[in-house]
Amino acid sequence: MTDFNKTRAMFDIPEGMIYLNGNSLGPMPKAAPEAINNFLHDEWKTELIKGWNTKGWWMQTNTLGDRVGRLIGAPEGTTVVSDTLSIKVFQAVSAGLALVPDRKVILSDNGNFPTDLYIAEGLIKLKDAEYELRIPDPEDVIDNITDEVAVVMVTEVDYRSGRKHDMSALIEKAHAVGAVVVWDLAHSCGAIPVDVMATDVDFAIGCTYKYVNGGPGAPAFIYVAPRLLDSVEPYLSGWYGHESPFAFDTDYRPMPGKIDRMRIGTPSIAAFSLLSAALDVWEDVDMTDLQKRSIDLSEMFIKEVEARCPGVTFAGPRDPMQRGSHVPFTFEHGYACMQALIANNVIGDFRAPNVMRFGITPLFINEEDIMKAVDRLADILSKETWKEERFQVRSKVT
């Protein structure tokens, strides 16, 4: 049984703050300062260039990749970390297209996070004519998986509504018609149980700065099914994924049969030190326990808001098994209301046009936090505090 009191004590959250935004940026683990300090003073400062060998920097893309892989059901040697999620989207989709060169359609949905769609659009511009991106409503994706489709690119958990795609059903149908699946786990990894092997996904990608708590801009990851490791084409081909990187050949030859071929360029070892500290928190966490706890806290939050906060409407799936680990509410003046909440030390976030999102992250959130957050929201609505002029000003980051 996972001890969530223990994990809560492993985070450094400001006194009095109720942090319901781990779905956007996880809080800092208490071990992070020591981890970065050790990197600065016991590795970079003392070892300099030797650190690639003496401190194992060269293989941290893989060793940390395996630790992230444990959270998504990936076997060792199938996941690497580095770069950004946008780059990993490009890597995965371009590699997927190469596996079915006679097809021209990338299928996603109009609820997907826009960056994924932007990356697909940019990739299409680099290809020959007739490639197209199709984005039906999320509920209609499965009906649009036909033998025209090359790559199905979907994010399991909708970033606004929290709705989950039925990934097993999507993957099964995609494979039945010969399509490749790229599964974006940005709102899944560290939030809900994931099993990339059991679902037989081709590629999975995700970030580590949300539920994994690796810090702002923490490195992204990419998983490749073992059956594809010797054939997948890394179209973003850098020296770090070369068969013989220190031969410095002018021709690219991908590392044969290994996930190493999906490495690109020199990674941020400083960022890796923070990610390693964050992954330490997960050592004794059972993902099934995590999901059950998330559901219990989410259901409490939804029930209390609906009972005590008039004008605020729940905007996610009612069935908790069809949700990720954040809950959305719509409110006509959602941006201003969220700013008032933040001013009252309840940190959620806003997504256009009128969605207030609240991350329910059991590693550091408990029942007392939930009740205090609802108390403050109810008070803001009752007093109409959100109408204050200071809460109407839009910041660059919402």
Side-chain angles (χ1 to χ4, degrees):
M1 183 71 70
T2 302
D3 184 350
F4 291 110
N5 289 323
K6 176 183 175 182
T7 61
R8 180 181 173 93
M10 298 174 80
F11 289 94
D12 206 341
I13 299 174
E15 184 71 27
M17 178 182 289
I18 300 170
Y19 193 70
L20 302 180
N21 205 12
N23 55 300
S24 191
L25 175 66
M28 188 180 77
K30 287 181 178 177
E34 182 180 1
I36 194 69
N37 189 64
N38 286 343
F39 163 72
L40 292 173
H41 294 284
D42 299 334
E43 297 188 16
W44 184 17
K45 178 180 177 180
T46 60
E47 299 301 288
L48 287 92
I49 196 69
K50 295 185 298 179
W52 291 102
N53 291 313
T54 60
K55 297 299 181 179
W57 293 348
W58 180 257
M59 290 304 295
Q60 282 186 327
T61 50
N62 301 60
T63 55
L64 291 174
D66 286 339
R67 294 179 70 188
V68 172
R70 187 182 74 83
L71 301 180
I72 62 172
E76 287 190 4
T78 60
T79 308
V80 286
V81 294
S82 193
D83 316 304
T84 67
L85 180 51
S86 297
I87 289 174
K88 293 310 179 194
V89 172
F90 187 97
Q91 264 195 302
V93 176
S94 60
L97 290 175
L99 292 171
V100 278
D102 56 327
R103 301 187 184 188
K104 306 284 188 180
V105 176
I106 301 170
L107 177 66
S108 188
D109 66 74
N110 57 28
N112 203 350
F113 191 69
T115 281
D116 288 25
L117 306 182
Y118 301 159
I119 293 293
E121 289 173 353
L123 177 58
I124 286 172
K125 290 178 182 178
L126 297 175
K127 307 289 284 185
D128 296 332
E130 299 179 359
Y131 277 84
E132 89 178 89
L133 172 65
R134 296 179 184 173
I135 50 171
D137 292 339
E139 297 82 0
D140 297 330
V141 169
I142 195 162
D143 293 331
N144 282 269
I145 300 176
T146 68
D147 57 12
E148 293 182 295
V149 174
V151 173
V152 179
M153 174 190 69
V154 289
T155 301
E156 181 179 26
V157 177
D158 187 292
Y159 77 102
R160 285 196 185 99
S161 70
R163 174 190 178 272
K164 284 172 57 183
H165 277 292
D166 184 340
M167 290 307 303
S168 293
L170 291 179
I171 294 167
E172 182 178 359
K173 183 167 184 184
H175 287 175
V177 301
V180 173
V181 177
V182 174
W183 186 1
D184 188 334
L185 299 173
H187 285 274
S188 304
C189 182
I192 56 177
V194 176
D195 194 333
V196 293
M197 284 294 287
T199 52
D200 195 29
V201 70
D202 302 294
F203 301 92
I205 52 179
C207 58
T208 61
Y209 53 79
K210 299 181 189 292
Y211 295 96
V212 181
N213 312 300
F221 65 85
I222 185 167
Y223 158 86
V224 178
R227 56 186 162 77
L228 297 177
L229 284 177
D230 204 35
S231 59
V232 62
E233 290 285 346
Y235 277 87
L236 276 175
S237 47
W239 82 293
Y240 221 74
H242 196 281
E243 178 185 35
S244 301
F246 290 94
F248 300 114
D249 293 336
T250 54
D251 295 324
Y252 183 77
R253 300 188 309 278
M255 180 72 74
K258 292 185 178 181
I259 189 63
D260 301 46
R261 63 173 46 206
M262 302 309 282
R263 308 192 314 187
I264 304 174
T266 308
S268 170
I269 305 303
F272 281 174
S273 69
L274 295 175
L275 176 57
S276 181
L279 289 168
D280 288 345
V281 178
W282 292 94
E283 288 299 314
D284 297 317
V285 175
D286 179 90
M287 294 307 296
T288 302
D289 292 344
L290 184 89
Q291 183 180 42
K292 182 180 183 303
R293 179 71 169 157
S294 171
I295 289 172
D296 289 345
L297 293 173
S298 296
E299 291 294 286
M300 172 187 289
F301 190 63
I302 294 166
K303 178 182 176 181
E304 291 293 327
V305 169
E306 290 190 320
R308 299 165 52 194
C309 301
V312 174
T313 304
F314 178 61
R318 286 290 173 183
D319 182 350
M321 295 303 292
Q322 294 180 4
R323 295 196 303 265
S325 199
H326 73 268
V327 292
F329 291 88
T330 57
F331 180 59
E332 182 180 1
H333 306 282
Y335 178 80
C337 186
M338 181 55 70
Q339 301 316 300
L341 269 172
I342 292 171
N344 279 272
N345 240 0
V346 177
I347 314 298
D349 66 11
F350 169 82
R351 289 294 177 261
N354 60 355
V355 177
M356 298 188 295
R357 297 191 313 175
F358 301 90
I360 310 301
T361 42
L363 293 187
F364 53 86
I365 294 296
N366 60 23
E367 291 87 350
E368 183 180 1
D369 296 324
I370 294 294
M371 296 305 293
K372 285 182 178 179
V374 179
D375 288 344
R376 295 178 198 178
L377 176 58
D379 185 65
I380 287 166
L381 293 169
S382 173
K383 296 176 180 176
E384 296 188 328
T385 311
W386 58 266
K387 288 185 176 181
E388 293 180 21
E389 184 176 349
R390 59 182 172 140
F391 299 137
Q392 314 305 313
V393 179
R394 294 278 177 134
S395 300
K396 288 184 178 181
V397 179
T398 63

